[in-house]
Amino acid sequence: MREILGKRRRLLSKRNGGQPEMLGAALTFATAWQWPVLPGVAADPQGRARCACPDPECTVPGAHPFDPGLLAATTDERMVRWWWTNRPTAPIILATGDKAPCAVSLPALAASRALLALDHMGMRLGPVIASPTRWALLVKPYSLEQLGELLYAQDHVPGSLRFHGEGGYVALPPSETGQGQLRWERAPLPGSAVPWVPDVEAVVDAVVEALTRTGVSAPEL
């Protein structure tokens, strides 16, 4: 029985033609979808709530770039293969902005209620990344000027909303971070086609309205 279970675990840990799961996922993002990625710093093995980076007060343990830095993000297949062959469990970090998706994130509880409200409103969403503490809604690339005009037009923007635009990043599933395992709350459709993502204006307008209508008081996390 142990041997059978061991084989099953090995099979489950490999996908995409027998490649290790993280490498296969990174290759899909980089080569099929043309999303620039790079490996993130791992969580501290001595305590997963801590980060292996030099910052003792890191707020995103295991979910950010460090070595290499964010500017190294690439869609080059050879580089991606080299990184995850040498660091097979490294989190996958997406460099947001430019031609890659950006993201809007908020605390998990508020996000789950907001998504229910958005479904009732008939709002079409793209992929949604979920961690135990925060969810991130992927959106089309936007500029800082565009974001500033959008926020200025709002009567009120919850302080718990975070914006991951050009020069920013988000960790992608199935990465394991200090906050826990990342998963797709709304997964991209199967296949090699680049996932559709909505405009940031539509998402922010709908999320703010949904949080207001549901009376969610999202904490500053």
Side-chain angles (χ1 to χ4, degrees):
M1 177 62 73
R2 287 184 178 179
E3 180 63 24
I4 293 174
L5 290 175
K7 288 181 179 178
R8 183 171 182 270
R9 290 193 187 100
R10 287 194 292 273
L11 288 172
L12 289 174
S13 68
K14 293 192 175 185
R15 298 174 183 171
N16 296 312
Q19 297 176 119
E21 183 179 18
M22 297 301 293
L23 172 58
L27 285 172
T28 295
F29 300 140
T31 63
W33 299 351
Q34 291 296 293
W35 292 1
V37 299
L38 75 163
V41 63
D44 189 334
Q46 301 301 317
R48 295 207 60 82
R50 300 196 304 269
C51 191
C53 75
D55 183 359
E57 299 180 357
C58 179
T59 58
V60 283
H64 68 90
F66 174 63
D67 183 18
L70 185 62
L71 292 179
T74 184
T75 59
D76 182 74
E77 179 179 351
R78 291 175 299 176
M79 193 73 249
V80 170
R81 285 188 181 278
W82 188 86
W83 277 332
W84 273 276
T85 297
N86 288 277
R87 300 166 60 181
T89 61
I92 303 171
I93 304 298
L94 168 68
T96 55
D98 194 13
K99 297 181 181 179
C102 294
V104 176
S105 69
L106 62 162
L109 178 59
S112 65
R113 294 178 179 174
L115 258 63
L116 288 175
L118 296 182
D119 287 341
H120 286 302
M121 294 163 57
M123 172 73 185
R124 183 186 179 191
L125 294 174
V128 177
I129 303 165
S131 79
T133 57
R134 292 187 72 85
W135 291 10
L137 289 68
L138 297 186
V139 298
K140 291 179 181 178
Y142 57 79
S143 66
L144 288 177
E145 180 181 8
Q146 181 182 6
L147 178 63
E149 292 176 354
L150 171 63
L151 298 182
Y152 182 77
Q154 299 290 329
D155 292 332
H156 170 69
V157 177
S160 58
L161 285 180
R162 295 179 186 167
F163 299 92
H164 310 260
E166 188 171 355
Y169 59 86
V170 291
L172 295 171
S175 301
E176 179 81 24
T177 72
Q179 279 83 33
Q181 182 83 39
L182 300 188
R183 61 180 177 81
W184 293 111
E185 174 63 24
R186 300 289 172 88
L189 295 176
S192 59
V194 178
W196 178 87
V197 291
D199 291 328
V200 65
E201 292 94 340
V203 168
V204 171
D205 288 344
V207 167
V208 170
E209 180 181 352
L211 293 178
T212 303
R213 288 175 56 184
T214 57
V216 174
S217 178
E220 304 281 338
L221 293 177

